[in-house]
């Protein structure tokens, strides 16, 4: 599934979490709309990449709302 990432910062240096969202539409002025919110999005998106729905990578996860939306769409 095509996804765009959001970096969630942790407390320590180098710590954090990568959350994958389903993008909606094109990037407009460095803003990427995401499926889980009509108002929120990602500023300066890192671009999109193919991410498996059954993601099993330490430190990464799907946004649960986006995952539910894309799972029902397939």
């Amino acid at each position: 599934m095509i996804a765009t990432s959001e970096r969630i910062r942790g407390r320590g240096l180098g710590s954090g979490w990568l959350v994958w969202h389903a993008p909606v539409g094109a990037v407009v002025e460095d803003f990427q709309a995401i499926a889980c919110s009509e108002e929120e999005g990602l500023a300066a998106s890192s671009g999109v990449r193919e991410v498996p729905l059954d993601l099993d990578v330490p430190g990464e996860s799907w946004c649960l709302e986006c995952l539910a939306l894309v799972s029902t769409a397939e």
Side-chain angles (χ1 to χ4, degrees):
M1 175 57 61
I2 297 295
T4 188
S5 64
E6 172 186 17
R7 171 71 61 190
I8 308 296
R9 302 272 181 218
R11 289 184 176 182
L13 183 62
S15 67
W17 197 260
L18 199 61
V19 177
W20 292 97
H21 293 274
V24 177
V27 174
V28 177
E29 296 181 15
D30 293 332
F31 178 82
Q32 174 66 65
I34 52 180
C36 61
S37 176
E38 292 185 17
E39 295 97 28
E40 302 287 324
L42 302 175
S45 171
S46 63
V48 296
R49 84 169 208 212
E50 188 71 29
V51 177
L53 293 177
D54 60 348
L55 181 64
D56 186 22
V57 177
E60 296 185 21
S61 70
W62 270 97
C63 160
L64 296 179
E65 290 179 57
C66 285
L67 182 59
L69 290 168
V70 297
S71 294
T72 58
E74 288 195 343

Coordinates of all heavy atoms in Angstrom, one line a residue:
M1 N 0.9 -1.2 0.0 CA 0.0 0.0 0.0 C 0.9 1.2 0.0 O 1.9 1.3 0.7 CB -0.9 0.0 1.2 CG -1.8 1.2 1.4 SD -2.9 1.6 0.1 CE -3.9 0.2 0.0
I2 N 0.5 2.2 -0.8 CA 1.3 3.5 -0.8 C 1.0 4.2 0.5 O -0.1 4.3 1.0 CB 0.8 4.4 -2.0 CG1 1.2 3.7 -3.3 CG2 1.5 5.7 -1.9 CD1 2.7 3.5 -3.5
A3 N 2.1 4.7 1.1 CA 2.0 5.4 2.4 C 3.0 6.5 2.5 O 4.0 6.6 1.8 CB 2.2 4.4 3.5
T4 N 2.7 7.5 3.4 CA 3.7 8.6 3.7 C 3.9 8.5 5.2 O 3.1 8.1 6.0 CB 3.1 9.9 3.3 OG1 4.1 10.9 3.4 CG2 1.8 10.3 4.0
S5 N 5.1 8.9 5.7 CA 5.5 8.8 7.1 C 5.4 10.0 7.9 O 5.5 11.1 7.4 CB 6.9 8.2 7.1 OG 7.8 9.2 6.6
E6 N 5.2 9.8 9.2 CA 5.2 10.8 10.2 C 6.2 10.4 11.3 O 6.1 9.3 11.8 CB 3.8 11.0 10.8 CG 3.8 12.0 12.0 CD 2.4 12.0 12.6 OE1 1.6 11.1 12.4 OE2 2.2 12.9 13.4
R7 N 7.2 11.2 11.6 CA 8.1 10.9 12.6 C 7.6 11.4 14.0 O 7.3 12.6 14.1 CB 9.5 11.6 12.3 CG 10.5 11.5 13.4 CD 11.1 10.1 13.7 NE 11.8 9.6 12.5 CZ 12.2 8.3 12.4 NH1 12.0 7.5 13.4 NH2 12.8 7.9 11.4
I8 N 7.5 10.5 14.9 CA 7.1 10.8 16.3 C 8.3 10.8 17.1 O 9.0 9.8 17.3 CB 6.0 9.8 16.9 CG1 4.9 9.6 15.9 CG2 5.6 10.2 18.3 CD1 4.0 10.8 15.7
R9 N 8.7 12.0 17.7 CA 9.9 12.1 18.4 C 9.8 11.5 19.8 O 8.8 11.6 20.5 CB 10.3 13.6 18.6 CG 10.5 14.3 17.3 CD 11.9 14.1 16.8 NE 12.0 14.8 15.5 CZ 12.8 14.4 14.5 NH1 13.4 13.2 14.6 NH2 12.9 15.0 13.4
G10 N 10.9 10.8 20.2 CA 10.9 10.3 21.6 C 11.7 11.2 22.5 O 12.1 12.3 22.1
R11 N 11.9 10.7 23.7 CA 12.6 11.6 24.7 C 14.1 11.6 24.4 O 14.7 12.7 24.5 CB 12.4 11.0 26.1 CG 11.0 11.3 26.6 CD 10.9 10.8 28.0 NE 9.6 11.1 28.5 CZ 9.2 10.9 29.7 NH1 10.0 10.3 30.5 NH2 8.0 11.2 30.1
G12 N 14.7 10.5 24.1 CA 16.2 10.5 23.9 C 16.6 10.8 22.5 O 15.8 10.8 21.6
L13 N 17.9 11.1 22.4 CA 18.5 11.3 21.1 C 18.4 10.0 20.2 O 18.8 9.0 20.6 CB 19.9 11.7 21.2 CG 20.7 12.1 20.0 CD1 20.0 13.3 19.3 CD2 22.1 12.4 20.3
G14 N 17.8 10.2 19.0 CA 17.7 9.0 18.1 C 16.5 8.1 18.4 O 16.3 7.2 17.7
S15 N 15.8 8.4 19.5 CA 14.6 7.6 19.7 C 13.4 8.2 19.0 O 13.4 9.3 18.7 CB 14.4 7.4 21.2 OG 14.0 8.7 21.8
G16 N 12.4 7.4 18.8 CA 11.2 7.8 18.2 C 10.5 6.7 17.5 O 10.9 5.5 17.6
W17 N 9.5 7.0 16.7 CA 8.6 6.1 16.1 C 8.3 6.6 14.7 O 8.1 7.8 14.6 CB 7.4 5.9 17.0 CG 6.6 4.7 16.7 CD1 5.4 4.6 15.9 CD2 6.8 3.3 17.1 NE1 5.0 3.3 15.9 CE2 5.8 2.5 16.6 CE3 7.8 2.7 17.9 CZ2 5.7 1.2 16.8 CZ3 7.8 1.4 18.1 CH2 6.7 0.6 17.6
L18 N 8.1 5.7 13.8 CA 7.7 6.1 12.4 C 6.3 5.6 12.2 O 6.1 4.4 12.4 CB 8.6 5.6 11.4 CG 8.6 6.2 10.0 CD1 9.0 7.6 10.1 CD2 9.6 5.4 9.1
V19 N 5.3 6.5 12.0 CA 4.0 6.1 11.8 C 3.6 6.3 10.3 O 3.9 7.4 9.8 CB 3.0 6.9 12.7 CG1 1.6 6.6 12.4 CG2 3.4 6.7 14.1
W20 N 3.1 5.3 9.7 CA 2.7 5.4 8.3 C 1.2 5.7 8.1 O 0.4 5.2 8.8 CB 3.0 4.1 7.6 CG 4.5 3.8 7.5 CD1 5.2 3.1 8.4 CD2 5.4 4.4 6.6 NE1 6.6 3.1 8.0 CE2 6.7 3.9 6.9 CE3 5.2 5.2 5.5 CZ2 7.8 4.3 6.2 CZ3 6.4 5.6 4.8 CH2 7.6 5.1 5.1
H21 N 0.9 6.7 7.2 CA -0.4 7.1 6.9 C -0.7 6.9 5.4 O 0.2 7.0 4.6 CB -0.5 8.6 7.2 CG -0.4 9.0 8.6 ND1 -1.5 9.0 9.5 CD2 0.6 9.5 9.3 CE1 -1.1 9.4 10.7 NE2 0.2 9.7 10.6
A22 N -2.0 6.7 5.1 CA -2.4 6.6 3.7 C -2.6 8.1 3.2 O -3.4 8.8 3.8 CB -3.8 5.9 3.7
P23 N -1.8 8.5 2.2 CA -2.0 9.8 1.6 C -3.3 10.0 0.8 O -3.8 9.0 0.3 CB -0.7 9.9 0.7 CG -0.4 8.5 0.3 CD -0.8 7.7 1.5
V24 N -3.8 11.2 0.8 CA -5.0 11.5 0.0 C -4.6 12.6 -0.9 O -4.2 13.7 -0.5 CB -6.1 11.9 0.9 CG1 -7.3 12.3 0.1 CG2 -6.5 10.8 1.9
G25 N -4.7 12.4 -2.2 CA -4.4 13.5 -3.2 C -2.9 13.8 -3.3 O -2.1 13.1 -2.8
A26 N -2.6 14.8 -4.0 CA -1.2 15.2 -4.2 C -0.7 16.1 -3.1 O -1.5 16.7 -2.4 CB -1.1 16.0 -5.6
V27 N 0.6 16.3 -3.0 CA 1.2 17.2 -2.1 C 0.9 18.6 -2.7 O 1.2 18.9 -3.8 CB 2.7 17.0 -2.0 CG1 3.4 18.1 -1.1 CG2 3.0 15.6 -1.4
V28 N 0.4 19.5 -1.8 CA 0.1 20.9 -2.2 C 0.9 21.8 -1.3 O 0.6 21.8 0.0 CB -1.4 21.2 -2.1 CG1 -1.7 22.6 -2.5 CG2 -2.2 20.2 -3.0
E29 N 1.8 22.6 -1.8 CA 2.6 23.5 -1.0 C 3.2 22.9 0.2 O 3.0 23.3 1.4 CB 1.8 24.8 -0.6 CG 1.4 25.6 -1.8 CD 0.6 26.8 -1.5 OE1 0.6 27.2 -0.3 OE2 0.0 27.4 -2.4
D30 N 3.9 21.7 0.0 CA 4.5 21.0 1.1 C 3.5 20.4 2.2 O 3.9 20.1 3.3 CB 5.6 21.8 1.8 CG 6.8 22.1 0.9 OD1 7.0 21.3 0.0 OD2 7.4 23.1 1.1
F31 N 2.3 20.2 1.8 CA 1.3 19.7 2.7 C 0.7 18.5 2.1 O 0.2 18.5 0.9 CB 0.2 20.7 3.0 CG -0.9 20.2 3.9 CD1 -0.8 20.2 5.3 CD2 -2.1 19.7 3.3 CE1 -1.8 19.7 6.1 CE2 -3.1 19.2 4.1 CZ -3.0 19.2 5.5
Q32 N 0.7 17.3 2.8 CA 0.1 16.1 2.3 C -1.1 15.7 3.2 O -1.0 15.5 4.4 CB 1.1 14.9 2.4 CG 0.6 13.6 2.1 CD 0.2 13.5 0.6 OE1 1.0 13.5 -0.3 NE2 -1.1 13.3 0.4
A33 N -2.3 15.7 2.6 CA -3.5 15.3 3.3 C -3.4 13.8 3.5 O -2.8 13.1 2.8 CB -4.7 15.6 2.4
I34 N -4.0 13.4 4.7 CA -4.0 12.0 5.0 C -5.4 11.4 5.3 O -6.3 12.2 5.6 CB -3.0 11.7 6.2 CG1 -3.4 12.6 7.4 CG2 -1.6 11.9 5.9 CD1 -2.6 12.5 8.7
A35 N -5.6 10.2 5.1 CA -6.9 9.5 5.1 C -7.6 9.6 6.5 O -8.8 9.7 6.5 CB -6.8 8.1 4.7
C36 N -6.8 9.7 7.6 CA -7.4 9.6 8.9 C -8.0 10.9 9.4 O -8.5 11.0 10.5 CB -6.4 9.0 9.9 SG -4.9 10.0 10.1
S37 N -7.8 12.0 8.6 CA -8.3 13.3 9.1 C -8.7 14.2 8.0 O -7.9 14.3 7.0 CB -7.2 14.0 10.0 OG -7.7 15.3 10.4
E38 N -9.8 14.9 8.1 CA -10.2 15.9 7.1 C -9.5 17.2 7.2 O -9.3 18.0 6.3 CB -11.7 16.1 7.1 CG -12.4 14.8 6.6 CD -13.9 15.0 6.4 OE1 -14.4 16.2 6.4 OE2 -14.6 14.0 6.4
E39 N -9.0 17.5 8.5 CA -8.3 18.8 8.7 C -6.8 18.7 8.9 O -6.1 19.6 8.5 CB -8.8 19.4 10.0 CG -10.3 19.8 10.0 CD -11.2 18.8 10.6 OE1 -10.7 18.1 11.5 OE2 -12.4 18.7 10.2
E40 N -6.3 17.6 9.4 CA -4.9 17.4 9.7 C -4.2 16.8 8.5 O -4.8 16.2 7.6 CB -4.7 16.4 10.9 CG -5.4 16.8 12.1 CD -4.7 18.0 12.8 OE1 -3.4 18.1 12.8 OE2 -5.4 18.8 13.4
G41 N -2.9 16.9 8.4 CA -2.1 16.4 7.4 C -0.6 16.4 7.8 O -0.3 16.7 9.0
L42 N 0.3 16.2 6.9 CA 1.7 16.2 7.2 C 2.3 17.4 6.4 O 2.2 17.5 5.2 CB 2.3 14.9 6.8 CG 1.7 13.7 7.4 CD1 2.4 12.4 6.9 CD2 1.9 13.7 8.9
A43 N 3.0 18.2 7.1 CA 3.8 19.3 6.5 C 5.1 18.8 6.1 O 5.7 18.0 6.7 CB 4.0 20.5 7.5
A44 N 5.5 19.2 4.9 CA 6.8 18.8 4.3 C 6.9 17.3 4.3 O 7.8 16.7 4.9 CB 8.0 19.4 5.1
S45 N 5.9 16.6 3.7 CA 5.9 15.2 3.7 C 7.2 14.6 3.1 O 7.9 15.2 2.3 CB 4.7 14.7 2.8 OG 4.8 13.4 2.5
S46 N 7.6 13.4 3.6 CA 8.8 12.8 3.2 C 8.6 12.0 1.8 O 9.5 11.3 1.4 CB 9.3 11.8 4.2 OG 8.3 10.8 4.4
G47 N 7.5 12.2 1.2 CA 7.2 11.5 0.0 C 6.4 10.2 0.3 O 6.1 9.9 1.5
V48 N 6.2 9.4 -0.7 CA 5.4 8.2 -0.5 C 6.3 7.0 -0.8 O 7.3 7.1 -1.6 CB 4.1 8.1 -1.3 CG1 3.2 9.2 -0.9 CG2 4.4 8.2 -2.8
R49 N 5.9 5.8 -0.3 CA 6.6 4.6 -0.6 C 5.6 3.4 -0.4 O 4.6 3.6 0.3 CB 7.9 4.4 0.1 CG 7.8 3.8 1.5 CD 9.2 3.5 2.0 NE 9.1 2.4 3.0 CZ 9.9 2.2 4.0 NH1 10.8 3.0 4.2 NH2 9.7 1.2 4.8
E50 N 5.9 2.3 -0.9 CA 5.1 1.1 -0.8 C 5.4 0.5 0.6 O 6.6 0.2 1.0 CB 5.5 0.1 -1.9 CG 4.6 -1.1 -1.9 CD 3.2 -0.8 -2.4 OE1 3.0 0.1 -3.2 OE2 2.3 -1.5 -2.0
V51 N 4.4 0.3 1.4 CA 4.5 -0.2 2.8 C 3.5 -1.4 2.9 O 2.4 -1.2 2.6 CB 4.2 0.8 3.9 CG1 4.3 0.3 5.2 CG2 5.2 2.0 3.7
P52 N 4.0 -2.6 3.4 CA 3.1 -3.7 3.5 C 2.0 -3.4 4.6 O 2.3 -2.8 5.6 CB 4.0 -4.9 3.9 CG 5.2 -4.3 4.4 CD 5.4 -2.9 3.8
L53 N 0.8 -3.9 4.4 CA -0.2 -3.7 5.4 C 0.1 -4.5 6.7 O -0.2 -4.1 7.8 CB -1.6 -4.2 4.9 CG -2.2 -3.3 3.7 CD1 -3.5 -3.9 3.2 CD2 -2.4 -1.9 4.2
D54 N 0.8 -5.6 6.5 CA 1.2 -6.4 7.7 C 2.7 -6.0 8.1 O 3.5 -6.8 8.4 CB 1.2 -7.9 7.4 CG 2.0 -8.3 6.2 OD1 2.5 -7.4 5.5 OD2 2.2 -9.5 6.0
L55 N 2.9 -4.7 8.2 CA 4.2 -4.1 8.6 C 4.7 -4.8 9.9 O 4.1 -4.8 10.9 CB 4.1 -2.6 8.7 CG 5.3 -1.8 9.1 CD1 6.3 -1.9 8.0 CD2 4.9 -0.4 9.4
D56 N 6.0 -5.2 9.8 CA 6.6 -5.8 11.0 C 8.1 -5.3 11.1 O 9.0 -6.1 10.9 CB 6.6 -7.4 10.9 CG 7.1 -8.1 12.1 OD1 7.1 -7.4 13.2 OD2 7.5 -9.2 12.0
V57 N 8.2 -4.0 11.2 CA 9.5 -3.4 11.3 C 9.6 -2.7 12.7 O 8.7 -1.9 13.0 CB 9.7 -2.4 10.2 CG1 11.1 -1.7 10.3 CG2 9.6 -3.0 8.8
P58 N 10.7 -3.0 13.5 CA 10.8 -2.4 14.8 C 10.8 -0.9 14.6 O 11.5 -0.3 13.8 CB 12.1 -2.9 15.3 CG 12.4 -4.2 14.6 CD 11.7 -4.0 13.2
G59 N 10.1 -0.2 15.5 CA 10.1 1.3 15.5 C 9.1 1.9 14.4 O 9.1 3.1 14.2
E60 N 8.4 1.1 13.7 CA 7.4 1.5 12.7 C 6.1 0.9 12.9 O 6.0 -0.2 13.3 CB 7.9 1.2 11.3 CG 9.2 1.9 10.9 CD 9.7 1.7 9.5 OE1 8.8 1.3 8.7 OE2 10.8 1.8 9.2
S61 N 5.0 1.7 12.6 CA 3.7 1.1 12.6 C 2.8 1.9 11.7 O 3.1 3.0 11.3 CB 3.1 1.1 14.0 OG 2.8 2.4 14.4
W62 N 1.6 1.3 11.4 CA 0.6 2.0 10.6 C -0.2 2.9 11.6 O -0.4 2.5 12.7 CB -0.3 1.0 9.9 CG 0.1 0.6 8.6 CD1 0.8 -0.5 8.2 CD2 -0.2 1.3 7.4 NE1 1.0 -0.5 6.9 CE2 0.4 0.6 6.3 CE3 -0.8 2.5 7.0 CZ2 0.3 1.0 5.0 CZ3 -0.9 2.9 5.7 CH2 -0.3 2.1 4.7
C63 N -0.7 4.0 11.1 CA -1.7 4.7 11.8 C -2.9 3.8 11.8 O -3.3 3.3 10.8 CB -2.0 6.0 11.1 SG -3.6 6.8 11.5
L64 N -3.5 3.5 13.0 CA -4.6 2.5 13.1 C -5.8 3.0 12.3 O -6.5 2.1 11.6 CB -5.0 2.3 14.5 CG -3.9 1.6 15.3 CD1 -4.3 1.4 16.8 CD2 -3.4 0.3 14.7
E65 N -6.1 4.3 12.2 CA -7.3 4.7 11.5 C -7.0 4.6 10.0 O -7.9 4.2 9.2 CB -7.6 6.2 11.8 CG -8.2 6.4 13.2 CD -8.4 7.8 13.5 OE1 -9.2 8.4 12.8 OE2 -7.9 8.3 14.5
C66 N -5.8 5.0 9.5 CA -5.5 4.8 8.1 C -5.5 3.3 7.7 O -6.0 3.0 6.6 CB -4.1 5.4 7.8 SG -4.1 7.2 7.7
L67 N -4.9 2.5 8.5 CA -4.9 1.1 8.2 C -6.3 0.5 8.1 O -6.6 -0.3 7.2 CB -4.2 0.3 9.3 CG -4.0 -1.2 9.1 CD1 -3.3 -1.5 7.8 CD2 -3.3 -1.8 10.3
A68 N -7.2 0.9 9.0 CA -8.6 0.4 8.9 C -9.3 0.9 7.6 O -10.0 0.2 6.9 CB -9.4 0.9 10.1
L69 N -9.0 2.2 7.2 CA -9.6 2.7 6.0 C -9.1 2.0 4.7 O -9.9 1.7 3.9 CB -9.3 4.2 5.9 CG -10.1 5.1 6.9 CD1 -9.5 6.5 6.9 CD2 -11.6 5.1 6.6
V70 N -7.8 1.8 4.7 CA -7.3 1.1 3.5 C -7.6 -0.4 3.4 O -7.8 -0.9 2.4 CB -5.7 1.3 3.3 CG1 -5.4 2.8 3.1 CG2 -4.9 0.8 4.4
S71 N -7.7 -1.0 4.6 CA -8.1 -2.4 4.6 C -9.5 -2.7 4.2 O -9.8 -3.6 3.5 CB -7.9 -3.0 6.1 OG -6.6 -2.9 6.5
T72 N -10.4 -1.7 4.5 CA -11.8 -1.9 4.0 C -11.9 -1.5 2.6 O -12.9 -2.0 1.9 CB -12.7 -1.1 4.9 OG1 -12.4 0.3 4.8 CG2 -12.8 -1.5 6.3
A73 N -11.0 -0.7 2.0 CA -11.1 -0.3 0.6 C -10.6 -1.4 -0.3 O -11.0 -1.3 -1.5 CB -10.3 1.0 0.4
E74 N -9.9 -2.3 0.2 CA -9.3 -3.4 -0.7 C -10.3 -4.5 -0.9 O -11.1 -4.8 -0.3 CB -8.0 -3.9 -0.2 CG -6.9 -2.9 -0.3 CD -5.6 -3.5 -0.1 OE1 -5.4 -4.6 0.4 OE2 -4.6 -2.9 -0.6

